Amino acid sequence: MKNNDNNTTESKEFSQFTINRRQFLQTGTALVTLPFITSKSIAADTADSKTGLPDLGEEERVVQTCSTFDCGGKCDIRAHVKQGTVVRISSRPEGALDPEMPVMRACVRGRGYRKFVYHPNRLKYPMLRVGKRGEGKFKQISWDDATTLIAEKMKQITAQHGPASRFVHTATGVSGGAFSGNTMVKRLLNLTGGYLRYYHSVSMGNTAAATPYTYGTAASGSSLDTLLDTKLVILWGHNPTETIFGHTNHFYQQMKKNGTRFIVVDPRYSDSAISFADQWIPLLPTTDNALMDAMMYVIVTEGLHDKAFIDRYTLGFDESSMPEGVAENESLISYLTGKKDGVLKTPEWAEKITKVPAQTIRQLARNYATTKPAALIQGWGPQRHNCGERSARGSTLLATITGNVGVKGGWAGGYGGIASRKFMTGVEQGDNPVKARISIMNWMQAVDDASKVRPEDGLKDADKLDTNIKMIFSLAGNYMANQNPDINQAVKLLEDESKVEFIVASDLYLTPSAKYADLLLPETSFMERWNIGETWGTGSYFMLSEKLIEPDFQRRSDYEWLREVAEKLGVEPAFSEGRDEKQWIELIVEQTRLAMPDENLPTFEQLLKQRQHLFKSQPHVAFAKNISDPANHPFPTPSGKIEIFSQRLYDMNNPEIPALSHYVPAHEGPEDALKDKYPLQMITWKGKHRANSTQYANPWLQEVHLQTLWMNPADAERRSLAEGDEVRIYNDRGVSIIPVEITPRVMPGVVAMRAGAWWSPDKDGVDRGGCPNVLTSARITALAKGNSHQTLLVEVKKA
């Protein structure tokens, strides 16, 4: 099956990438017997009568493992391995659950991993581009040629443009593991002069940047076991049922059984609303702060605020608690009562903006203020707007004036990171001689013209960039094109070979981003390499991700070929320290043990048996010490208090980020004049069948949900649209054509599309894959210099 012919091929025709099921079944009887493609020729004269799978004449080994994708669950999957092949995926037995930190059963994504790994369209050989960039034309080359080319290009580009011309793109395909090629390529680059770094998380960077302006830190979250007796939870743009925060859902289910009332605030009636909500309150995207302002107006004017808490712990509530040197009427009370701008922030005022009825706003405010304790938990979706920093701080103000900060059962709002969480030590990357850092949102500017990236645009630790980006490594990442907030702008830059001179992409599939590679490498899946899976969100445990099977064809882990590149650059001993992949995992485990002597962590040998470790810790209430003992534990803000009013933001004098977080009409929001041309607000959400764009190529998971555009019946009627009609979704940035799904689960004036579908342009450049990023904007936020791709206006017509 291995073919070394260096034939020039078109990606749409090349059998490495596009063998369909019918062609696959015609390739030979030796392969037909296997559940999915493998290079091992195994006869199967008999099959197991229960599973229908071939009887391979060997006892099955069941291994507890997890993926290392950017997935919030890190759930327990059990791989059934027989004669070097994973023949089935199951999950932990019912009842095998640690209530202190539950490792959840596999979701639909976890159940589908085998199809993703054993798929005929996976990349098989190293490939060199032979057509224009983006055409997808490649020829097969040897690994020796591939690593020689990388080493030569690194030397050449570094000599000509300097190490700051080298860039490693974001890679969520491996970000759930303690060890990855994405990490190790940074280690190699640091050994050879450094590279241009980026900061900011496209998931939650805006709220992480904004929260410290209230509390002095982003770590504003409590452990979920402190919420079991909470009387009221408001899930504000939070959808854990579909994004699969496994442990989160476990605790929410327990709370529901305990009688907790759930209110969901979201433009869309999500699966989380179905699962938990006693009440759904839809509001127009980007108007969160108007709803928050009106809630605070009701709470304050009806005397429902916690005056004693406010007087003791806060700055900026009223004029008497303002810092010196600030103009009059900048306090929260002055803003709410119209002393600053002449506008009372009443529910009636907010109703016109948000479309939430005034009486609903009043009742929501009263419920939140009078239910003790209560938790307003904001998800990461609302902060992916160009008003996201304001809405993140708005949730902290609501929590503050109701006294829900630092108390068991309350929630401080904002980012929600947990200070008590523990992580593996990871791999030492070494010092980077290049000190400049850009926001991930600046990378296109740095490709096009480095002089466009200034400190006011997001550049940090430098006054200017000395060079454009000339070399890109994209290892297990699809952000370079597909997940970039403006695909059309990104691919125009990537197609121009006078800009980036060399692009290395490594992946499992020919993703839309991988088509723009000059050198395309076949990466191994998590089942074919060693790693440690780590949780994020509210989880606090790790799990061994063992190498279960040998990679087929010429697939190699990124670390393996990086060692070869390091050897050709003369730095292999320093790069690898003589360790193979498994030995690095052993080192990470041992270093973590040394760093946490009180945790009683397992040795690597013990981990091979027990498979996982739960970090045991006491229930954690964010800011509990700051509230119980403020004299010895002041808030880490300039004033030592919770800053409802931020002097630091006030001194910036930027209307996009007011010192007192409040409603400001958003660009491409419901009050933008562009709404006359594009009258519908569009949002995206992360469906349960893929993590970002990972697993899009899995046909099983494509069957879970078709890619459709959700539209309210009232909007569909105005456009004479019927269920299933092909519709043209468009704005000034791009066009996508997919079927429409007419449903009352999205409010009027708003349309919604699942994120992460692969861009599939036709000959006219019109996307046929339902990729929302042909429509989204690359506008950066004012404070974090982060992404605001959820803020966009579109129109929809029948195609």
Side-chain angles (χ1 to χ4, degrees):
M1 291 187 63
K2 297 184 179 180
N3 180 4
N4 294 316
D5 294 337
N6 292 340
N7 295 323
T8 300
T9 55
E10 173 72 42
S11 64
K12 293 182 179 179
E13 300 169 352
F14 189 30
S15 62
Q16 286 197 52
F17 305 137
T18 58
I19 297 175
N20 61 38
R21 182 171 177 81
R22 182 181 298 274
Q23 292 168 329
F24 170 54
L25 292 175
Q26 293 173 348
T27 58
T29 56
L31 288 178
V32 172
T33 61
L34 286 177
F36 302 104
I37 192 166
T38 173
S39 63
K40 302 171 181 65
S41 206
I42 302 172
D45 297 328
T46 60
D48 187 296
S49 60
K50 294 181 180 179
T51 66
L53 295 171
D55 181 358
L56 303 180
E58 175 186 284
E59 187 173 335
E60 196 171 80
R61 185 169 70 103
V62 182
V63 184
Q64 180 186 4
T65 187
C66 70
S67 81
T68 50
F69 300 139
D70 182 34
C71 177
K74 283 297 162 289
C75 297
D76 182 337
I77 67 171
R78 306 290 170 100
H80 296 242
V81 185
K82 207 169 186 180
Q83 274 199 356
T85 300
V86 176
V87 297
R88 186 162 68 93
I89 293 287
S90 63
S91 191
R92 65 165 178 80
E94 287 287 353
L97 189 68
D98 188 316
E100 293 185 34
M101 181 51 65
V103 180
M104 303 305 295
R105 290 170 59 80
C107 69
V108 66
R109 295 200 293 258
R111 300 281 186 169
Y113 283 146
R114 188 168 61 99
K115 184 66 172 178
F116 190 63
V117 172
Y118 290 114
H119 193 288
N121 286 7
R122 270 191 64 185
L123 300 175
K124 298 174 177 63
Y125 311 105
M127 306 289 291
L128 182 68
R129 176 175 64 86
V130 293
K132 294 180 180 179
R133 225 184 244 159
E135 281 188 303
K137 291 182 178 180
F138 299 91
K139 70 175 182 179
Q140 182 182 331
I141 62 173
S142 70
W143 271 111
D144 183 58
D145 287 344
T147 55
T148 298
L149 181 61
I150 295 171
E152 290 176 349
K153 287 292 186 180
M154 286 178 67
K155 291 177 184 176
Q156 172 197 328
I157 291 172
T158 306
Q160 185 174 356
H161 302 288
S165 66
R166 309 187 300 190
F167 186 69
V168 182
H169 230 303
T170 183
T172 61
V174 291
S175 57
F179 182 82
S180 71
N182 189 259
T183 297
M184 296 307 284
V185 73
K186 295 173 184 176
R187 178 181 172 93
L188 177 59
L189 290 171
N190 284 341
L191 285 169
T192 56
Y195 65 99
L196 179 63
R197 293 173 293 165
Y198 72 85
Y199 65 90
H200 191 77
S201 165
V202 294
S203 291
M204 48 66 185
N206 291 323
T207 190
T211 304
Y213 286 89
T214 302
Y215 298 125
T217 175
S220 60
S222 301
S223 58
L224 292 180
D225 52 7
T226 65
L227 299 182
L228 291 176
D229 297 321
T230 298
K231 304 302 181 186
L232 172 67
V233 169
I234 302 173
L235 299 181
W236 198 298
H238 189 26
N239 184 23
T241 299
E242 290 182 270
T243 51
I244 317 297
F245 291 77
H247 25 276
T248 302
N249 289 313
H250 166 79
F251 284 108
Y252 287 176
Q253 289 162 4
Q254 293 299 311
M255 292 157 63
K256 191 72 177 173
K257 290 178 182 178
N258 293 344
T260 299
R261 184 164 184 255
F262 282 83
I263 299 173
V264 170
V265 180
D266 200 307
R268 192 177 64 88
Y269 191 64
S270 67
D271 282 11
S272 294
I274 293 173
S275 300
F276 301 115
D278 297 279
Q279 182 183 10
W280 171 45
I281 300 177
L283 84 168
L284 288 178
T286 74
T287 67
D288 306 70
N289 278 104
L291 178 55
M292 292 172 175
D293 291 347
M295 288 174 64
M296 287 189 279
Y297 177 89
V298 172
I299 291 168
V300 169
T301 58
E302 295 186 4
L304 304 178
H305 56 293
D306 191 329
K307 186 177 186 303
F309 184 95
I310 293 168
D311 290 345
R312 186 176 186 188
Y313 298 110
T314 74
L315 177 147
F317 178 74
D318 55 25
E319 294 299 311
S320 67
S321 64
M322 292 292 288
E324 294 182 4
V326 177
E328 291 184 354
N329 298 326
E330 291 288 343
S331 69
L332 179 63
I333 290 293
S334 295
Y335 168 74
L336 296 175
T337 57
K339 292 181 179 178
K340 180 178 180 179
D341 57 8
V343 178
L344 293 173
K345 307 311 180 295
T346 64
E348 286 74 19
W349 164 81
E351 178 179 356
K352 296 175 183 177
I353 298 168
T354 65
K355 305 308 178 188
V356 179
Q359 188 52 38
T360 300
I361 298 173
R362 284 192 174 86
Q363 195 59 52
L364 176 63
R366 291 165 182 164
N367 285 342
Y368 180 56
T370 60
T371 307
K372 302 292 184 179
L376 191 161
I377 304 175
Q378 191 177 74
W380 292 347
Q383 59 90 56
R384 295 179 187 132
H385 288 274
N386 59 44
C387 58
E389 296 148 344
R390 300 192 294 274
S391 64
R393 283 201 73 226
S395 68
T396 68
L397 303 194
L398 275 167
T400 295
I401 69 169
T402 56
N404 276 302
V405 178
V407 298
K408 185 179 179 181
W411 195 263
Y415 166 50
I418 301 176
S420 62
R421 286 197 63 212
K422 298 179 176 68
F423 300 91
M424 307 298 288
T425 57
V427 175
E428 178 61 48
Q429 295 179 17
D431 293 331
N432 186 349
V434 177
K435 300 307 177 187
R437 294 184 296 147
I438 61 171
S439 165
I440 188 59
M441 295 298 294
N442 297 139
W443 80 270
M444 289 189 294
Q445 295 169 309
V447 165
D448 187 34
D449 183 353
S451 67
K452 296 179 181 177
V453 187
R454 303 163 299 172
E456 56 265 39
D457 304 309
L459 179 63
K460 291 186 177 183
D461 303 326
D463 295 326
K464 63 183 181 67
L465 289 179
D466 296 324
T467 178
N468 293 358
I469 291 173
K470 291 294 183 179
M471 184 176 191
I472 294 177
F473 286 92
S474 178
L475 311 185
N478 197 16
Y479 189 91
M480 191 168 64
N482 200 84
Q483 298 303 99
N484 194 75
D486 189 334
I487 284 181
N488 293 313
Q489 182 184 0
V491 299
K492 183 178 180 181
L493 287 171
L494 294 172
E495 287 169 355
D496 186 346
E497 296 179 37
S498 71
K499 301 291 186 182
V500 183
E501 295 178 9
F502 194 62
I503 300 173
V504 179
S506 172
D507 215 310
L508 273 66
Y509 289 85
L510 186 68
T511 67
S513 295
K515 286 185 177 180
Y516 289 85
D518 298 302
L519 184 63
L520 179 59
L521 305 177
E523 166 70 310
T524 52
S525 73
F526 73 92
M527 291 185 182
E528 297 157 334
R529 58 178 181 253
W530 287 91
N531 214 330
I532 298 283
E534 294 188 281
T535 59
W536 45 264
T538 52
S540 191
Y541 58 87
F542 63 84
M543 193 181 301
L544 183 64
S545 184
E546 179 182 334
K547 182 177 180 179
L548 300 171
I549 55 177
E550 291 297 325
D552 284 333
F553 302 96
Q554 293 182 20
R555 297 169 186 142
R556 297 175 68 182
S557 74
D558 287 334
Y559 176 61
E560 290 181 57
W561 62 258
L562 281 167
R563 283 190 77 173
E564 203 168 292
V565 173
E567 183 177 4
K568 292 173 179 178
L569 292 171
V571 295
E572 199 282 333
F575 173 72
S576 73
E577 297 182 6
R579 296 185 183 91
D580 62 19
E581 194 173 68
K582 181 180 178 182
Q583 289 168 328
W584 275 109
I585 302 304
E586 293 173 353
L587 178 67
I588 290 170
V589 172
E590 186 57 32
Q591 287 180 334
T592 307
R593 278 170 46 81
L594 294 174
M596 303 179 190
D598 298 331
E599 271 291 333
N600 194 28
L601 296 178
T603 65
F604 181 77
E605 289 71 24
Q606 290 169 330
L607 190 59
L608 284 170
K609 297 177 181 178
Q610 71 184 58
R611 313 303 300 181
Q612 68 186 40
H613 177 79
L614 311 181
F615 289 111
K616 301 294 185 180
S617 59
Q618 295 299 314
H620 172 75
V621 176
F623 308 122
K625 289 183 178 180
N626 308 88
I627 297 303
S628 64
D629 187 7
N632 293 311
H633 298 280
F635 282 86
T637 58
S639 66
K641 295 187 174 185
I642 299 172
E643 296 194 347
I644 294 173
F645 173 93
S646 171
Q647 177 90 47
R648 290 173 290 172
L649 294 180
Y650 181 79
D651 291 341
M652 292 181 190
N653 194 30
N654 187 332
E656 293 283 315
I657 41 174
L660 180 77
S661 191
H662 60 71
Y663 176 67
V664 177
H667 307 282
E668 291 200 51
E671 296 187 58
D672 194 318
L674 189 63
K675 204 167 188 294
D676 293 337
K677 183 178 181 182
Y678 299 117
L680 296 169
Q681 289 182 267
M682 189 176 114
I683 59 172
T684 67
W685 81 96
K686 295 191 176 185
K688 61 172 66 73
H689 58 323
R690 52 182 175 254
N692 298 314
S693 67
T694 304
Q695 290 226 62
Y696 173 81
N698 190 331
W700 283 355
L701 298 189
Q702 288 177 352
E703 292 178 13
V704 171
H705 291 298
L706 297 177
Q707 188 70 355
T708 59
L709 180 77
W710 280 21
M711 178 179 279
N712 186 272
D715 293 320
E717 184 177 4
R718 292 189 193 99
R719 292 161 177 80
S720 301
L721 297 175
E723 177 74 13
D725 280 349
E726 290 273 308
V727 293
R728 182 181 179 92
I729 313 128
Y730 63 97
N731 58 20
D732 290 339
R733 289 181 290 271
V735 182
S736 185
I737 295 178
I738 54 172
V740 66
E741 184 173 343
I742 300 172
T743 172
R745 289 182 62 182
V746 65
M747 68 181 295
V750 180
V751 292
M753 188 190 300
R754 288 180 182 88
W758 282 7
W759 178 50
S760 181
D762 62 18
K763 61 181 178 59
D764 298 317
V766 174
D767 171 56
R768 298 280 179 164
C771 181
N773 294 45
V774 301
L775 302 158
T776 55
S777 164
R779 178 188 292 272
I780 63 173
T781 58
L783 181 64
K785 311 304 178 186
N787 50 308
S788 62
H789 62 280
Q790 286 276 17
T791 309
L792 68 155
L793 293 170
V794 300
E795 178 57 293
V796 176
K797 293 182 179 179
K798 191 170 182 178

